Amino acid sequence: MLSAGAKRMSASAALSRAKSHSLEISSSLMVHAGCECVACERGNPVCAKDGTYQGLVIHAVHNAKFTIMAAPQGSGDGGCKRRVGIVGYGKLGKFLAHAVVESVDMELAFVWNRRPEPVLADDVVCAHHLPDLKDAAQRNPDIIVEVAHPQITKDHGEFLISIADYFVGSPSGFADAAVEHSMRAAASSGKHGMYVPSGALWGCADINKMAELGTLKGLTVTMRKHPSCFRLNGPLADRCRAAEAEQGEVTLYEGPVRALCPQAPNNVNTMAAAALSAHSLGFDKVQGRLVVDTRLEAHVVEIEAVGPGSPPFTVKTVRYNPALPGAVTGNATYNSFLSSLKRSGGRGNGVHFC
C-alpha cells in the first residue's frame, strides 16, 4: 500500500510541471522517506513523491493506480526514450538500428526481417529480434520504421499504424491507388500518424506548400545513376542491361510516376515522395525521368517545380550524392533517413513529411 503522503500528491501540480517541461528529470531511482515507489506501465519504477523517474511523470493518482505521461520527445537528458521498431534489415535498416542503439533519446523496440539470420547474427540487435510481425504491439513501439519493401505497407500498413506512428521508407508502394487511399484513411481516422521521409527530395516542404495553395502547376523529378545502381523489373530491366554496353546517358523512362514505381520499387522512392507531397498533382501528373550513365559515381536527383505566371515561376535543384557503382542507396541518404526519423513522431494523426 502507498503511504497517505504519497496518495495526497498533487496530480494537478505534476501535470502542470509536465506541460511546462520544467520538471526535473532524474537519472536514478528516487526514494524518499514516507513514500513507496510503484512501477509504470513499462515496468520502470516511479517515485510517488516527486512524480518522476527517468522522464516519466505521474499524471494522476486514483485508487493507488498511476497514469503515466511521457516526458517531451527528444529530451535526451535521462528522459523517456522513444521506442523504435524497425522493419527490414538491409544496409539502411542496419544503419538505423545501430544509430538507435547509440542514441540518447531512442531505443529499439524490435527488429523484424523477412530472413531472420542477418538480425540474429548481429550482436548489437539480436536481443531485439521480432520473429513474427503480428506480435509487434507486444514490444510497445512508439514508431515503426519500414525500410524493407513497398509490399510491407500493402500487406501490413493498416495494422502497423493502428499500434504506433508509421514511418514509410518505401513510399513507391503508394503508386497503387488502393494502398494510398487505405493508408491515408487509416492515418486520418486513427490516433497515429504516417510519416514520409523527404530523402533526396530537396524542397519537399515547399512543394507541399505550393500543392496546398493550388499554385503547383508541374513537377518533374529526374534520377541519374550508373546502370548497376538500379534494381528494375520487366522490360525496364532489359533496357538497363543493354544500356551498360553504351557510353554516356541513356533515358530509360520518361512519363508519369505511377507507371514507373512498379518497375523500379527500390529506386524511385524520391519520386513517390514527390507525388505524395505534390498531392494536387499526384502520381499521375508528377513526371519522372530515369536516366543511366556509365560514367557516374553518384546518384543525381534533379527537381523542377513549376508555378503560376507567364513566364512561370520555376525552381530547379540538383542533388549530387556520391555512390559507388552497384550501390542502391547513396552515402548521404543514410544520414538523411536518420535525420528524418529524429524529426518524426508525436504530431498526431494525418500524413506528415519529415
Side-chain angles (χ1 to χ4, degrees), residues 73 82 142-143 164-167 187-188 190-198 204-205 208 212 338-354:
Q73 264 188 26
R82 190 164 53 132
D142 296 308
I143 188 165
D165 287 333
Y166 187 54
F167 181 105
S188 62
K191 63 180 181 179
H192 301 116
M194 183 170 74
Y195 293 82
V196 181
S198 58
C204 175
N208 191 237
E212 290 176 352
L338 178 58
S339 178
S340 292
L341 174 57
K342 289 182 175 182
R343 297 181 63 217
S344 64
R347 299 189 211 171
N349 63 5
V351 179
H352 312 284
F353 297 89
C354 54

Side-chain angles (χ1 to χ4, degrees), residues 150-279:
Q151 194 68 31
I152 294 295
T153 297
K154 182 176 183 178
D155 293 343
H156 308 287
E158 290 182 72
F159 162 67
L160 294 175
I161 201 172
S162 73
I163 62 176
D165 287 333
Y166 187 54
F167 181 105
V168 190
S170 307
S172 60
F174 292 121
D176 182 331
V179 174
E180 181 184 5
H181 176 77
S182 64
M183 287 302 295
R184 283 189 181 274
S188 62
S189 62
K191 63 180 181 179
H192 301 116
M194 183 170 74
Y195 293 82
V196 181
S198 58
L201 184 62
W202 208 256
C204 175
D206 296 294
I207 291 169
N208 191 237
K209 289 175 185 177
M210 292 180 69
E212 290 176 352
L213 292 172
T215 58
L216 185 64
K217 304 303 180 183
L219 182 64
T220 301
V221 181
T222 301
M223 300 185 71
R224 304 177 191 273
K225 299 183 181 182
H226 188 279
S228 64
C229 294
F230 285 110
R231 302 289 183 269
L232 306 174
N233 301 323
L236 213 57
D238 297 331
R239 294 173 65 182
C240 186
R241 281 191 290 269
E244 290 196 61
E246 301 184 32
Q247 295 297 316
E249 289 189 359
V250 177
T251 299
L252 299 180
Y253 178 90
E254 187 167 5
V257 168
R258 189 181 301 280
L260 176 58
C261 285
Q263 300 181 73
N266 296 314
N267 293 112
V268 295
N269 286 311
T270 298
M271 295 185 184
L276 290 169
S277 180
H279 54 83

Side-chain angles (χ1 to χ4, degrees), residues 310-322:
S310 181
F313 168 83
T314 305
V315 177
K316 297 180 180 180
T317 64
V318 178
R319 183 180 186 267
Y320 186 94
N321 183 8

Side-chain angles (χ1 to χ4, degrees), residues 28-89:
S28 60
L29 178 61
M30 296 174 289
V31 180
H32 300 273
C35 95
E36 299 177 18
C37 294
V38 297
C40 78
E41 59 187 3
R42 288 184 180 164
N44 294 322
V46 181
C47 174
K49 180 176 180 181
D50 282 5
T52 64
Y53 176 64
Q54 291 193 351
L56 297 174
V57 182
I58 294 182
H59 179 280
V61 182
H62 180 67
N63 292 334
K65 293 183 179 180
F66 290 77
T67 300
I68 305 301
M69 177 178 180
Q73 264 188 26
S75 63
D77 184 21
C80 182
K81 291 188 174 184
R82 190 164 53 132
R83 292 178 58 78
V84 180
I86 293 181
V87 177
Y89 207 63

Side-chain angles (χ1 to χ4, degrees), residues 86-143:
I86 293 181
V87 177
Y89 207 63
K91 291 181 179 179
L92 180 55
K94 182 175 182 178
F95 171 83
L96 292 175
H98 282 235
V100 168
V101 169
E102 296 170 3
S103 171
V104 298
D105 55 6
M106 295 185 289
E107 63 183 6
L108 274 180
F110 66 81
V111 178
W112 178 91
N113 196 53
R114 183 176 58 85
R115 292 177 53 252
E117 291 82 6
V119 181
L120 296 175
D122 188 338
D123 292 340
V124 176
V125 303
C126 61
H128 302 283
H129 175 243
L130 179 69
D132 195 328
L133 200 54
K134 71 181 181 184
D135 296 326
Q138 297 177 12
R139 302 293 183 90
N140 296 316
D142 296 308
I143 188 165

